[in-house]
Amino acid sequence: MTQTFLLDPDIAWAAFEARDRQSDGRFVGAVRTTGIYCKPSCPARHPKREHVSFYRDPAAARAAGYRACLRCKPDEVGRDRIAIARAVALLEAAEDMLGLDELALQVGYAPHHFHRLFKRATGVTPAAYARALRARRAAIALTQEASVTAAIYDAGYSAPSRFYEDGAKRLGMSPSAWRRGGAGVTIRWTIADTSLGKMLVAATDKGLCRVSFDEDVAALRSRFPNAEIVEGGAALATLAAQVVASVESPERDQDLPLDVRGTAFQEAIWQALRAIPRGETRSYADLAAMVGNPAAVRAAGTACGANPVAIVVPCHRVQRGDGTPGGYAYGVDRKIVLQERERPD
């Protein structure tokens, strides 16, 4: 939801009724008959609408004379986000894999509870986040090391077999091909007509690797200079048609296969984008908070700009906190149209 959400009591009530966890930390609901305030996802029985007022944060509710709910503990939402941001920093700084027990201990939570918090905020488990970091380091090392084996160890894998079990699958191509800039990988492409203009659709055997407006095969070759670039044909036709359907009818869930890579932070942002329900938007601050790094608002915007598969990873569902559209790689007009098409009638 956008920041303007906080100013609209009707929308706030709808989120309160839905027990929307994504709204936790964005406002609290205060109940006049009990004198308590709750976070939106509070499992307690809902009071009548006329007895509820909404405040931007717990401090404002306390200033108005309310006390925190002992069941949903709304004051802990901020603590949870700080802990997740701390955990992300620890994972980023660690040379070796941090286990869940150690990570939870360092941020002051019980392991199973923190596991749930981390996944809810980032969309991935702590272990999956750590694997993404290690794969990113491997990708960088593979472009710098003379030896693939040396690169694998430098990335933090205990043995080459561990990389092939995890990292190679994540990279989407063999480590030697990655080191040679994608040599040996075949990418099929086509230009599809849509109501928003011509769209480049490109895919490897694993999934879509580039979806963009106003680009052609020359742009694709500049991104993948060592790959074999071939025209699509029947092997790509069905996938391209599904991408076009996502433009023309974005309310439909296409669940398309992807073969994209980024930093661990970028991939967490892209996963968070795919988790935004159709017809809804989030602010860049919301997006940063969703991946457990509330201070990384600018980086969240940069990750949206680096999104290699427009529409499929819906960065058009993010806008500024004041409700204005913000930027979009393929023009704000397209962004507005896509948002309008996703809204329910």
Side-chain angles (χ1 to χ4, degrees):
M1 309 214 174
T2 67
Q3 288 296 97
T4 55
F5 165 87
L6 299 179
L7 305 178
D8 189 327
D10 291 332
I11 297 178
W13 174 251
F16 200 75
E17 277 196 309
R19 294 187 170 90
D20 179 16
R21 289 186 181 276
Q22 294 293 342
S23 296
D24 288 350
R26 291 163 175 76
F27 75 98
V28 293
V31 186
R32 285 186 288 277
T33 53
T34 62
I36 67 172
Y37 61 89
C38 302
K39 62 186 180 183
S41 67
C42 182
R45 181 178 178 181
H46 286 144
K48 293 182 179 180
R49 171 66 183 88
E50 59 265 25
H51 296 155
V52 182
S53 300
F54 297 101
Y55 295 89
R56 292 180 181 274
D57 52 45
R62 289 194 297 273
Y66 294 93
R67 65 185 186 279
C69 172
L70 295 178
R71 186 170 181 181
C72 70
K73 300 179 180 179
D75 294 349
E76 292 189 3
V77 175
R79 175 175 173 259
D80 291 346
R81 290 185 175 174
I82 291 171
I84 291 166
R86 172 64 177 154
V88 168
L90 288 169
L91 290 170
E92 293 273 0
E95 293 186 5
D96 299 317
M97 289 280 285
L98 284 176
L100 175 62
D101 289 351
E102 182 181 357
L103 186 65
L105 178 65
Q106 291 201 44
V107 298
Y109 281 76
H112 293 301
H113 179 53
F114 187 68
H115 186 275
R116 289 194 298 272
L117 287 177
F118 192 96
K119 186 173 183 180
R120 183 187 304 158
T122 66
V124 296
T125 66
Y129 194 94
R131 287 195 297 269
L133 283 171
R134 195 164 58 175
R136 180 187 68 182
R137 291 167 184 159
I140 294 171
L142 284 165
T143 65
Q144 298 172 346
E145 295 283 352
S147 162
V148 169
T149 301
I152 289 171
Y153 282 114
D154 284 349
Y157 291 93
S158 58
S161 60
R162 296 296 300 164
F163 173 77
Y164 284 94
E165 289 172 7
D166 176 26
K169 179 180 178 182
R170 183 170 186 81
L171 293 176
M173 62 181 74
S174 69
S176 58
W178 178 270
R179 184 167 171 269
R180 296 195 304 271
V185 176
T186 298
I187 298 176
R188 303 182 189 281
W189 68 276
T190 188
I191 302 294
D193 289 319
T194 78
S195 59
L196 296 182
K198 293 188 178 298
M199 171 178 276
L200 172 69
V201 179
T204 68
D205 291 339
K206 296 180 181 295
L208 293 162
C209 61
R210 185 70 181 168
V211 175
S212 58
F213 290 102
D214 304 328
E215 287 189 343
D216 57 18
V217 68
L220 188 64
R221 288 196 175 101
S222 70
R223 287 181 173 272
F224 303 98
N226 296 322
E228 181 184 6
I229 308 292
V230 298
E231 227 175 317
L236 187 60
T238 300
L239 196 55
Q242 290 177 293
V243 175
V244 172
S246 295
V247 176
E248 307 304 339
S249 303
E251 74 283 357
R252 295 164 55 189
D253 187 4
Q254 298 291 340
D255 192 24
L256 302 175
L258 299 179
D259 185 5
V260 296
R261 288 163 297 280
T263 67
F265 180 80
Q266 286 174 333
E267 291 187 13
I269 288 289
W270 298 341
Q271 288 183 19
L273 287 167
R274 299 188 87 184
I276 300 173
R278 291 182 300 278
E280 296 185 15
T281 58
R282 299 288 188 271
S283 70
Y284 292 101
D286 292 335
L287 194 62
M290 287 170 70
V291 301
N293 198 343
V297 177
R298 186 179 296 275
T302 301
C304 288
N307 171 21
V309 282
I311 310 298
V312 185
V313 171
C315 53
H316 59 273
R317 294 178 189 163
V318 184
Q319 55 191 41
R320 291 176 179 151
D322 61 5
T324 56
Y328 189 58
Y330 308 108
V332 174
D333 289 344
R334 283 188 174 121
K335 183 175 190 176
I336 293 171
V337 170
L338 289 166
Q339 289 181 356
E340 289 176 346
R341 286 180 179 178
E342 290 190 349
R343 293 191 185 103
D345 294 333

